[in-house]
Amino acid sequence: MVPHLITALTGPINELEQRILESMPAIERWFRLEWMEHTPPFYSSVDLRNAGFKLAPVDTNLFPGGWNNLTNEMLPLAVQAAMAAIEKICPEAKNLLLVPEAHTRNTFYLANVQRLKQIFHQAGLNVRLGTLDESITEPVTMALPDGSELVVEPLQRHRGRLGLKDFDPCTVLLNNDLSAGLPSVLEGLHEQYLLPPLHAGWAVRRKSNHFQSYEEVAKKFSKLLGMDPWLINPMFAQCGQVDFSEGEGLECVQTQADALLTKVRRKYKEYGINEKPFVVVKADNGTYGMGIMMVRDAKELADPSRRTRNKMSVVKDGQQVSQVIIQEGVPTYERMNDAVAEPVVYMIDRYVVGGFYRVHAERGTDENLNAPGASFVPLAFAESNQLPRPGAKPGASAPNRFYMYGVIGRLAMLAASYELEATDPDAEVYE
């Protein structure tokens, strides 16, 4: 069973797919060599956009939710990958402490926590949940729609180690993106692994750093395949000291958006693409599809409406937006039952374990789909996405298309690895 997709199966994406399939041994060897030098993030998810002429990541999440949207068929892959990841970090691990988002009763999010707990339990670990919500002082039981329950317990810190009552874990896994700041209870842990590290949290992390690293990865990869990196890389610019509510710093955003639109027009002309380019202005940190606007003409930024100012002023947990990334807009031409769709690829360690389509019936091909009203359709791999069919025509075979998604997803994951190394506050700097 493979989702029925109406994709723009013409033009360069077929050439790109063909080139990726023909170069599969070289690609896999290249990844293998990269992973000898770099450590993959513990887990990640990547939002892709397939424009028919271009396939690129537009966001990489290092604290992915949505694991409940993966099918049961994907569980064995996820469990194997989790085993490999834990083995590298703490082979003697018995206990895993999972720290979810605080203050949430959202049943979809809790189903995601339940699925993560299931994956790591099946990987051979005792998994318990500890919350950063200081108002929780006793274990709390939360009911899920399927009749199961989750117990969330207050965190305890003892002699520099983080745990729960009668539970001392080797590894602490965050499924909380730290948008609200870095909690002191997580700092300076003694002989415990905190995954992902604190500097991966949105209190510190910046999308512009990630896409700087991705540009580097895309150039290396494109050189290997002898192709234009633009086909897999969204161009971007960045502005600091921006305050939408006060209208400050908007000249920078307008100038950069104008320059980027000019660059994209040039590329469209080079490839004979008959589209009106757009850019996406979004908070340089943060998630949940907040603080995002589409711009087709830089003049729109001269005097944004009050609604736009309010929307762009704060992101999750009420954090003020002071820096933005201006990113080349990549339209999505994948559809499912007449609704616009985009693939999201999920990874644990260096392995692709599955994914789904984010589908939104009320949004256009050039709009953000991560918004209320979105639904999720699993990327139901009838066969493993790691086993493409070399003989099939590009675009004709779902495993081939999914293999290509997996390659681009892994490039974004590798970029996250570069990014985390470059921004690690504890890394030794060699002059």
Side-chain angles (χ1 to χ4, degrees), residues 157-162 182-194 198 426:
R157 177 122 179 192
H158 183 60
R159 292 186 181 162
R161 288 179 74 85
L162 191 66
L182 304 183
S184 55
V185 73
L186 297 177
E187 292 179 338
L189 295 180
H190 180 60
E191 292 181 353
Q192 272 179 315
Y193 295 93
L194 180 69
L198 285 178
D426 301 323

Side-chain angles (χ1 to χ4, degrees), residues 21 51 82 106 119 130 135 139 145-146 195 229 329 340 355-356 418:
L21 291 171
N106 179 321
I119 289 169
S135 67
D146 67 358
L195 302 165
V340 175
F356 54 77
Y418 280 34

Side-chain angles (χ1 to χ4, degrees), residues 238-258 281 293 295 297-306 308-310 312-313 321-324 326:
Q238 193 255 3
C239 285
Q241 288 152 353
V242 174
D243 184 335
F244 272 89
S245 57
E246 298 295 323
E248 288 167 13
L250 297 189
E251 314 79 39
C252 171
V253 184
Q254 192 177 353
T255 306
Q256 294 287 14
D258 199 34
V281 179
M293 67 185 291
V295 176
D297 185 332
K299 291 193 189 82
E300 295 167 34
L301 291 159
D303 188 21
S305 67
R306 178 175 290 279
T308 298
R309 284 172 192 250
N310 291 344
M312 295 299 294
S313 296
V321 174
S322 59
Q323 295 171 308
V324 295
I326 301 103

Side-chain angles (χ1 to χ4, degrees), residues 146-160:
D146 67 358
S148 60
E149 292 179 336
L150 283 176
V151 178
V152 180
E153 302 176 65
L155 291 171
Q156 291 186 355
R157 177 122 179 192
H158 183 60
R159 292 186 181 162

Side-chain angles (χ1 to χ4, degrees), residues 126-165:
N126 301 316
V127 186
R128 281 167 65 179
L129 307 178
T131 179
L132 291 165
D133 184 347
E134 290 174 2
S135 67
I136 291 181
T137 54
E138 293 289 326
V140 173
T141 301
M142 297 181 182
L144 274 76
D146 67 358
S148 60
E149 292 179 336
L150 283 176
V151 178
V152 180
E153 302 176 65
L155 291 171
Q156 291 186 355
R157 177 122 179 192
H158 183 60
R159 292 186 181 162
R161 288 179 74 85
L162 191 66
L164 308 171
K165 191 180 177 194

